[in-house]
Amino acid sequence: MQHFRLYIILFLIIPFTVFAEDGSQLWLRFPAKNGISADKILSKGNNPTLQIAKKELINYWQGQEIELRTDKSLKNLKGGYTIKSVQNKLVISAEKEIGLLYGVYHILRLQQTKSSITNLDITEKPSYDVRILNHWDNLDGTIERGYAGHSLWKWEDLPNTISPRYEEYARVNASIGINAAVLNNVNASPNMLRKDYLEKVKVLADIFRPYGIKVYLSVNFSSPKVLGGLENSDPLNREVQKWWKDKAAEIYKLIPDFGGFLVKANSEGQPGPQDYGRTHADGANMMADVLKPYGGIVMWRAFVYSPSKEDRAKQAYLEFVPLDGKFRDNVIIQIKNGPVDFQPREAFNPLFGALRKTPEMVEFQITQEYLGQANHLVYLAPLFKETLDSDTYSDGKNSTIAKITDGTLRPHTLTAIAGVANIGEDKNWTGHHFAQANWYAFGRLAWNHDLTSEQIADEWLKMTFNDDEKFLKPVKEMMLTSRETAVDYMMPLGLHHIFAGGHHYGPEPWGDYKGGRPDWSPVYYHQANQQGIGFDRTKSGSNAVANYFPPLNDIYGNIKTCPENLILWFHHVPWNYQMKDGKTLWEELSYKYDTGVKNVREYQKDWDKVQPFVDEERFQHIQAKLKIQARDAVWWKDACLLYFQTFSKMPIPYDIERPVYELDDLKKIKLNMGHHN
Ligand code: GCW
């Protein structure tokens, strides 16, 4: 009877565990056969990280003998490693064991992508010290702007019950060099710092540690008052300072290598030092002082804007530039790539380069809040690269954001880069199978920002799907063009923030939330009227162009020299304005929307053609998502063109597809996805 039952259970489980292609393995898909035997791995010591490195080799490495060697003289590689072919051996060297583990994942990647593993002479040094994921996970298990199910962190079950996914998470991140994680939402609950929660955090930190991942927490600025019962949370109040000091001691007792705090203060209703007439520097320094003795850092966000007449794109700059030089050296200012909010395309944030004495780090959004969420295939490496490669001219020509933040131009002791995670408890971790590529791309670029979007897509596709050229070529092309395609069908030519309020999924260019703050309404951002469309940020408008270093202020400020892909970001442009290709602005806008739609239709065909190269389960899943994306693209095109046409009063060029929806019907769509703004 017992046996019979077991038999049935196996019968039910095996077909799914063995054959199901649910995407849960991400890019770590190694051959089922065994790797090399333990005696072919030379190494000293028994450190837990080293044990993981050896286990990975024993399970998966099909190549020659390996030596794993720690070498103190490699400190200058900042956690990096070397891989060298020496006679019949491969020697991986690093200052510490974590570098060896990274080296092991490197050679496994070479093996998996069928790259050469002979005559290797590789030196790898990460672009950034802290390569960090920001989870916007709430203590109740929901995730702000998360589209892959609930949070991985099971706070209710911790510290006693441990999900196997904690370790899988750590391993996957280590495989791409991510070495830090902020566990909770920047809209932080004070409860995160409660003793019982810290004990849960400790369990996660212990699991992550051997994989080289440090834990950080978002903290609520009012914690002393809310949690500690103090009268206020004024950073200059000694009792408040003491509360944070004691809290830091409590945390470090549990987690000796705790990374530090991430803070969203005085932004979108969050408390902060300004509640007490203090500055961001006062607030950040108070926390920096209590973390300093333990080596902890403060990542202070520059995403601040308040209900005022001032152009939202200028506000962070106005608040932070006067504070340059006032921050402790263990404070780093975390700046979103654009000055508004993770839009499909923004001009880069002019704060980059403007703080000369304060370390700056980029915050990217991996989760696709404004890019079709878990439904649209949008590969984000080109967006990340566009920001990192942007020349700010802060220190003359070639002062790219990459060089400002990686320490090349500003020799700060602290360098970091953050990505808002797209990870949840969905089987495939990220909702859309292709969204895994965005997690991967963030990690790879945090490790080496010189990699190209193409190299990263190539690696990821070979590891995750198939290395057949007939598959790779069209699918890579689809990935590489997908971000521009999304810009085209959502917000071409520098349009921004014309999303439906709240969930930010579909179009709502007519959105005018009277009574609310103007900068939460789409009409505030596109400014369409009978004359034209676009936000005037030149001298005649908000003059946000003045925040850019010369010659960019002039280049952006002049409609003739402003790049056309940002023209409506910086200018209010007449409908009949003549674009570089001779078309009027209205025509150009129409063709852009049309191109966006057409491209998605092509992606559908391309995907169907590669069916023989993809397992059925993932094939269908992606096919279904592309269908949604195609419908959404038409929805965007019709909504925006029909609405803007009420101002331009011009015909939609006759060689493009006619609208299929009625504007009035589109205006009635209210998706029930809910959110505060
Ligand atoms: O992008 C906006 C989001 C908010 C988010 C905020 C921020 C965590 O719509 O959900 O809050 O930015 O980055 O703080």
Side-chain angles (χ1 to χ4, degrees), residues 136 144-145 185-187 264 267-268 301 303 305 312 336 341-342 363 365 369-370 420 502 504 675-677:
W136 286 355
E144 181 151 350
R145 312 306 182 183
N185 192 352
V186 286
N187 292 326
K264 170 175 178 177
S267 167
E268 299 186 331
R301 291 177 95 226
F303 178 68
Y305 66 100
R312 181 169 154 188
K336 287 187 183 182
D341 192 8
F342 297 137
E363 175 180 321
Q365 196 179 42
E369 172 179 358
Y370 295 104
V420 179
H504 298 158
H675 197 269
H676 60 273
N677 63 313

mmCIF file of all heavy atoms in Angstrom, residues 136 144-145 185-187 264 267-268 301 303 305 312 336 341-342 363 365 369-370 420 502 504 675-677, ligand 1:
data_model
loop_
_atom_site.group_PDB
_atom_site.id
_atom_site.type_symbol
_atom_site.label_atom_id
_atom_site.label_comp_id
_atom_site.label_asym_id
_atom_site.label_seq_id
_atom_site.Cartn_x
_atom_site.Cartn_y
_atom_site.Cartn_z
ATOM 1 N N TRP A 136 10.917 46.468 -3.607
ATOM 2 C CA TRP A 136 9.855 47.328 -3.076
ATOM 3 C C TRP A 136 8.798 46.436 -2.419
ATOM 4 O O TRP A 136 7.603 46.568 -2.672
ATOM 5 C CB TRP A 136 9.261 48.203 -4.184
ATOM 6 C CG TRP A 136 10.152 49.345 -4.617
ATOM 7 C CD1 TRP A 136 11.353 49.717 -4.077
ATOM 8 C CD2 TRP A 136 9.893 50.288 -5.666
ATOM 9 N NE1 TRP A 136 11.859 50.817 -4.732
ATOM 10 C CE2 TRP A 136 10.979 51.183 -5.711
ATOM 11 C CE3 TRP A 136 8.844 50.450 -6.576
ATOM 12 C CZ2 TRP A 136 11.048 52.234 -6.635
ATOM 13 C CZ3 TRP A 136 8.918 51.500 -7.495
ATOM 14 C CH2 TRP A 136 10.010 52.385 -7.513
ATOM 15 N N GLU A 144 5.109 46.711 -4.142
ATOM 16 C CA GLU A 144 4.766 47.925 -4.875
ATOM 17 C C GLU A 144 5.415 47.835 -6.260
ATOM 18 O O GLU A 144 6.619 47.597 -6.378
ATOM 19 C CB GLU A 144 5.269 49.164 -4.109
ATOM 20 C CG GLU A 144 4.910 50.460 -4.812
ATOM 21 C CD GLU A 144 4.727 51.648 -3.858
ATOM 22 O OE1 GLU A 144 4.694 51.446 -2.634
ATOM 23 O OE2 GLU A 144 4.611 52.774 -4.373
ATOM 24 N N ARG A 145 4.582 47.992 -7.295
ATOM 25 C CA ARG A 145 5.054 47.922 -8.683
ATOM 26 C C ARG A 145 5.676 46.559 -9.018
ATOM 27 O O ARG A 145 6.576 46.473 -9.859
ATOM 28 C CB ARG A 145 6.058 49.027 -9.001
ATOM 29 C CG ARG A 145 5.640 50.411 -8.572
ATOM 30 C CD ARG A 145 4.299 50.790 -9.108
ATOM 31 N NE ARG A 145 3.913 52.154 -8.742
ATOM 32 C CZ ARG A 145 2.737 52.685 -9.051
ATOM 33 N NH1 ARG A 145 1.837 51.980 -9.709
ATOM 34 N NH2 ARG A 145 2.441 53.911 -8.698
ATOM 35 N N ASN A 185 10.455 47.790 0.813
ATOM 36 C CA ASN A 185 10.010 48.963 0.060
ATOM 37 C C ASN A 185 10.597 50.267 0.619
ATOM 38 O O ASN A 185 10.654 50.456 1.833
ATOM 39 C CB ASN A 185 8.477 49.006 0.143
ATOM 40 C CG ASN A 185 7.851 49.998 -0.813
ATOM 41 O OD1 ASN A 185 8.546 50.786 -1.456
ATOM 42 N ND2 ASN A 185 6.536 49.947 -0.919
ATOM 43 N N VAL A 186 10.953 51.161 -0.293
ATOM 44 C CA VAL A 186 11.411 52.498 0.133
ATOM 45 C C VAL A 186 10.284 53.274 0.821
ATOM 46 O O VAL A 186 10.559 54.174 1.628
ATOM 47 C CB VAL A 186 11.970 53.332 -1.039
ATOM 48 C CG1 VAL A 186 13.329 52.831 -1.454
ATOM 49 C CG2 VAL A 186 11.000 53.359 -2.209
ATOM 50 N N ASN A 187 9.047 52.963 0.480
ATOM 51 C CA ASN A 187 7.932 53.467 1.289
ATOM 52 C C ASN A 187 7.893 52.525 2.488
ATOM 53 O O ASN A 187 7.159 51.546 2.509
ATOM 54 C CB ASN A 187 6.618 53.418 0.511
ATOM 55 C CG ASN A 187 6.619 54.417 -0.633
ATOM 56 O OD1 ASN A 187 7.193 55.499 -0.536
ATOM 57 N ND2 ASN A 187 5.982 54.052 -1.737
ATOM 58 N N LYS A 264 14.050 56.988 1.602
ATOM 59 C CA LYS A 264 13.201 57.878 0.810
ATOM 60 C C LYS A 264 12.617 58.863 1.809
ATOM 61 O O LYS A 264 11.797 58.473 2.648
ATOM 62 C CB LYS A 264 12.099 57.071 0.122
ATOM 63 C CG LYS A 264 11.007 57.914 -0.550
ATOM 64 C CD LYS A 264 10.026 57.015 -1.317
ATOM 65 C CE LYS A 264 8.904 57.818 -1.958
ATOM 66 N NZ LYS A 264 7.996 56.959 -2.760
ATOM 67 N N SER A 267 9.397 62.773 0.319
ATOM 68 C CA SER A 267 9.019 62.523 -1.062
ATOM 69 C C SER A 267 7.717 61.755 -1.058
ATOM 70 O O SER A 267 7.586 60.774 -0.319
ATOM 71 C CB SER A 267 10.110 61.700 -1.737
ATOM 72 O OG SER A 267 9.656 61.180 -2.966
ATOM 73 N N GLU A 268 6.769 62.189 -1.837
ATOM 74 C CA GLU A 268 5.478 61.513 -1.959
ATOM 75 C C GLU A 268 4.891 61.151 -0.600
ATOM 76 O O GLU A 268 4.443 60.030 -0.373
ATOM 77 C CB GLU A 268 5.623 60.250 -2.831
ATOM 78 C CG GLU A 268 6.076 60.555 -4.240
ATOM 79 C CD GLU A 268 6.077 59.336 -5.164
ATOM 80 O OE1 GLU A 268 6.267 58.213 -4.684
ATOM 81 O OE2 GLU A 268 5.880 59.538 -6.375
ATOM 82 N N ARG A 301 17.958 58.792 -1.184
ATOM 83 C CA ARG A 301 17.377 58.977 -2.516
ATOM 84 C C ARG A 301 17.151 60.444 -2.862
ATOM 85 O O ARG A 301 16.737 61.236 -2.022
ATOM 86 C CB ARG A 301 16.063 58.217 -2.638
ATOM 87 C CG ARG A 301 16.260 56.723 -2.634
ATOM 88 C CD ARG A 301 14.926 56.011 -2.675
ATOM 89 N NE ARG A 301 14.486 55.634 -4.000
ATOM 90 C CZ ARG A 301 13.255 55.822 -4.460
ATOM 91 N NH1 ARG A 301 12.359 56.469 -3.746
ATOM 92 N NH2 ARG A 301 12.919 55.382 -5.647
ATOM 93 N N PHE A 303 15.026 61.165 -5.232
ATOM 94 C CA PHE A 303 13.698 61.203 -5.870
ATOM 95 C C PHE A 303 12.763 62.005 -4.972
ATOM 96 O O PHE A 303 12.023 61.461 -4.163
ATOM 97 C CB PHE A 303 13.171 59.786 -6.078
ATOM 98 C CG PHE A 303 11.801 59.731 -6.690
ATOM 99 C CD1 PHE A 303 11.591 60.138 -7.998
ATOM 100 C CD2 PHE A 303 10.715 59.272 -5.963
ATOM 101 C CE1 PHE A 303 10.324 60.088 -8.568
ATOM 102 C CE2 PHE A 303 9.439 59.212 -6.520
ATOM 103 C CZ PHE A 303 9.241 59.626 -7.825
ATOM 104 N N TYR A 305 10.097 65.430 -4.808
ATOM 105 C CA TYR A 305 9.361 66.509 -5.461
ATOM 106 C C TYR A 305 8.161 66.787 -4.590
ATOM 107 O O TYR A 305 7.659 65.915 -3.884
ATOM 108 C CB TYR A 305 8.956 66.143 -6.891
ATOM 109 C CG TYR A 305 7.961 65.021 -7.011
ATOM 110 C CD1 TYR A 305 6.614 65.274 -7.228
ATOM 111 C CD2 TYR A 305 8.374 63.694 -6.898
ATOM 112 C CE1 TYR A 305 5.698 64.239 -7.341
ATOM 113 C CE2 TYR A 305 7.468 62.659 -7.006
ATOM 114 C CZ TYR A 305 6.133 62.932 -7.225
ATOM 115 O OH TYR A 305 5.236 61.913 -7.323
ATOM 116 N N ARG A 312 8.582 69.604 -12.004
ATOM 117 C CA ARG A 312 9.050 68.449 -11.227
ATOM 118 C C ARG A 312 10.449 67.994 -11.666
ATOM 119 O O ARG A 312 11.242 67.500 -10.859
ATOM 120 C CB ARG A 312 8.033 67.310 -11.388
ATOM 121 C CG ARG A 312 8.373 66.068 -10.633
ATOM 122 C CD ARG A 312 7.185 65.124 -10.640
ATOM 123 N NE ARG A 312 7.623 63.749 -10.487
ATOM 124 C CZ ARG A 312 6.832 62.692 -10.601
ATOM 125 N NH1 ARG A 312 5.555 62.842 -10.859
ATOM 126 N NH2 ARG A 312 7.300 61.474 -10.458
ATOM 127 N N LYS A 336 17.544 58.526 -9.627
ATOM 128 C CA LYS A 336 16.907 57.822 -10.744
ATOM 129 C C LYS A 336 17.516 58.285 -12.066
ATOM 130 O O LYS A 336 17.909 59.445 -12.190
ATOM 131 C CB LYS A 336 15.401 58.087 -10.763
ATOM 132 C CG LYS A 336 14.646 57.372 -9.666
ATOM 133 C CD LYS A 336 13.131 57.519 -9.833
ATOM 134 C CE LYS A 336 12.423 56.837 -8.663
ATOM 135 N NZ LYS A 336 10.954 56.906 -8.774
ATOM 136 N N ASP A 341 10.515 60.196 -13.712
ATOM 137 C CA ASP A 341 10.207 58.935 -13.046
ATOM 138 C C ASP A 341 10.209 57.717 -13.962
ATOM 139 O O ASP A 341 9.147 57.236 -14.329
ATOM 140 C CB ASP A 341 8.836 59.039 -12.353
ATOM 141 C CG ASP A 341 8.586 57.880 -11.403
ATOM 142 O OD1 ASP A 341 9.510 57.099 -11.171
ATOM 143 O OD2 ASP A 341 7.460 57.780 -10.885
ATOM 144 N N PHE A 342 11.353 57.168 -14.268
ATOM 145 C CA PHE A 342 11.434 55.883 -14.965
ATOM 146 C C PHE A 342 10.549 55.798 -16.210
ATOM 147 O O PHE A 342 9.920 54.764 -16.490
ATOM 148 C CB PHE A 342 11.030 54.740 -14.019
ATOM 149 C CG PHE A 342 11.925 54.547 -12.826
ATOM 150 C CD1 PHE A 342 11.379 54.302 -11.566
ATOM 151 C CD2 PHE A 342 13.304 54.575 -12.945
ATOM 152 C CE1 PHE A 342 12.191 54.083 -10.457
ATOM 153 C CE2 PHE A 342 14.129 54.360 -11.836
ATOM 154 C CZ PHE A 342 13.564 54.116 -10.601
ATOM 155 N N GLU A 363 19.946 54.855 -9.951
ATOM 156 C CA GLU A 363 18.875 53.902 -9.652
ATOM 157 C C GLU A 363 18.113 53.641 -10.944
ATOM 158 O O GLU A 363 17.534 54.553 -11.529
ATOM 159 C CB GLU A 363 17.936 54.480 -8.586
ATOM 160 C CG GLU A 363 16.724 53.595 -8.297
ATOM 161 C CD GLU A 363 15.779 54.189 -7.231
ATOM 162 O OE1 GLU A 363 16.261 54.771 -6.243
ATOM 163 O OE2 GLU A 363 14.555 54.076 -7.412
ATOM 164 N N GLN A 365 15.107 51.175 -12.891
ATOM 165 C CA GLN A 365 13.949 50.359 -12.545
ATOM 166 C C GLN A 365 13.944 49.136 -13.448
ATOM 167 O O GLN A 365 13.782 49.241 -14.660
ATOM 168 C CB GLN A 365 12.655 51.160 -12.701
ATOM 169 C CG GLN A 365 11.471 50.506 -11.992
ATOM 170 C CD GLN A 365 10.181 51.298 -12.113
ATOM 171 O OE1 GLN A 365 9.871 51.813 -13.177
ATOM 172 N NE2 GLN A 365 9.418 51.389 -11.041
ATOM 173 N N GLU A 369 7.330 49.109 -14.440
ATOM 174 C CA GLU A 369 6.170 49.909 -14.038
ATOM 175 C C GLU A 369 5.580 50.672 -15.223
ATOM 176 O O GLU A 369 4.366 50.703 -15.405
ATOM 177 C CB GLU A 369 6.584 50.897 -12.936
ATOM 178 C CG GLU A 369 5.494 51.894 -12.583
ATOM 179 C CD GLU A 369 5.879 52.872 -11.467
ATOM 180 O OE1 GLU A 369 6.999 52.752 -10.919
ATOM 181 O OE2 GLU A 369 5.066 53.752 -11.153
ATOM 182 N N TYR A 370 6.443 51.293 -15.992
ATOM 183 C CA TYR A 370 5.997 52.144 -17.095
ATOM 184 C C TYR A 370 6.281 51.521 -18.464
ATOM 185 O O TYR A 370 6.307 52.215 -19.464
ATOM 186 C CB TYR A 370 6.696 53.500 -17.011
ATOM 187 C CG TYR A 370 6.346 54.337 -15.785
ATOM 188 C CD1 TYR A 370 7.231 54.450 -14.709
ATOM 189 C CD2 TYR A 370 5.143 55.032 -15.718
ATOM 190 C CE1 TYR A 370 6.928 55.236 -13.599
ATOM 191 C CE2 TYR A 370 4.840 55.821 -14.617
ATOM 192 C CZ TYR A 370 5.732 55.922 -13.562
ATOM 193 O OH TYR A 370 5.426 56.708 -12.475
ATOM 194 N N VAL A 420 15.697 48.533 -9.251
ATOM 195 C CA VAL A 420 14.476 48.138 -8.543
ATOM 196 C C VAL A 420 14.033 46.791 -9.110
ATOM 197 O O VAL A 420 13.718 46.681 -10.301
ATOM 198 C CB VAL A 420 13.362 49.186 -8.693
ATOM 199 C CG1 VAL A 420 12.107 48.734 -7.959
ATOM 200 C CG2 VAL A 420 13.836 50.542 -8.179
ATOM 201 N N GLY A 502 -2.514 55.973 -11.325
ATOM 202 C CA GLY A 502 -2.592 54.826 -10.430
ATOM 203 C C GLY A 502 -1.743 53.667 -10.870
ATOM 204 O O GLY A 502 -0.620 53.503 -10.413
ATOM 205 N N HIS A 504 -0.536 52.968 -13.986
ATOM 206 C CA HIS A 504 0.499 53.256 -14.984
ATOM 207 C C HIS A 504 0.616 52.208 -16.080
ATOM 208 O O HIS A 504 1.692 51.990 -16.615
ATOM 209 C CB HIS A 504 1.880 53.427 -14.313
ATOM 210 C CG HIS A 504 1.919 54.567 -13.354
ATOM 211 N ND1 HIS A 504 2.858 54.661 -12.336
ATOM 212 C CD2 HIS A 504 1.137 55.662 -13.233
ATOM 213 C CE1 HIS A 504 2.655 55.765 -11.639
ATOM 214 N NE2 HIS A 504 1.608 56.391 -12.163
ATOM 215 N N HIS A 675 -3.889 51.724 -7.257
ATOM 216 C CA HIS A 675 -2.663 52.239 -6.665
ATOM 217 C C HIS A 675 -2.867 53.684 -6.275
ATOM 218 O O HIS A 675 -3.808 54.324 -6.754
ATOM 219 C CB HIS A 675 -1.450 52.124 -7.590
ATOM 220 C CG HIS A 675 -0.159 52.279 -6.848
ATOM 221 N ND1 HIS A 675 0.465 53.474 -6.686
ATOM 222 C CD2 HIS A 675 0.564 51.373 -6.157
ATOM 223 C CE1 HIS A 675 1.543 53.305 -5.945
ATOM 224 N NE2 HIS A 675 1.636 52.049 -5.608
ATOM 225 N N HIS A 676 -1.982 54.206 -5.469
ATOM 226 C CA HIS A 676 -2.244 55.522 -4.893
ATOM 227 C C HIS A 676 -2.074 56.694 -5.838
ATOM 228 O O HIS A 676 -2.743 57.692 -5.673
ATOM 229 C CB HIS A 676 -1.414 55.722 -3.635
ATOM 230 C CG HIS A 676 0.063 55.638 -3.880
ATOM 231 N ND1 HIS A 676 0.725 54.444 -3.848
ATOM 232 C CD2 HIS A 676 0.972 56.573 -4.169
ATOM 233 C CE1 HIS A 676 2.010 54.662 -4.095
ATOM 234 N NE2 HIS A 676 2.184 55.933 -4.297
ATOM 235 N N ASN A 677 -1.176 56.665 -6.814
ATOM 236 C CA ASN A 677 -1.058 57.852 -7.666
ATOM 237 C C ASN A 677 -0.858 57.490 -9.116
ATOM 238 O O ASN A 677 -0.617 56.352 -9.431
ATOM 239 C CB ASN A 677 0.091 58.733 -7.214
ATOM 240 C CG ASN A 677 1.425 58.040 -7.320
ATOM 241 O OD1 ASN A 677 1.585 56.909 -6.910
ATOM 242 N ND2 ASN A 677 2.407 58.699 -7.863
HETATM 243 O O1 GCW B 1 7.829 55.448 -9.684
HETATM 244 C C1 GCW B 1 7.159 55.927 -8.572
HETATM 245 C C2 GCW B 1 6.212 54.855 -8.227
HETATM 246 C C3 GCW B 1 5.985 54.671 -6.755
HETATM 247 C C4 GCW B 1 7.343 54.612 -6.078
HETATM 248 C C5 GCW B 1 8.078 55.916 -6.324
HETATM 249 C C6 GCW B 1 9.488 55.908 -5.758
HETATM 250 C C7 GCW B 1 8.058 53.292 -4.227
HETATM 251 O O2 GCW B 1 5.005 55.067 -8.899
HETATM 252 O O3 GCW B 1 5.261 53.492 -6.568
HETATM 253 O O4 GCW B 1 7.266 54.325 -4.708
HETATM 254 O O5 GCW B 1 8.197 56.155 -7.680
HETATM 255 O O6 GCW B 1 10.397 55.583 -6.506
HETATM 256 O O7 GCW B 1 9.673 56.209 -4.599
#
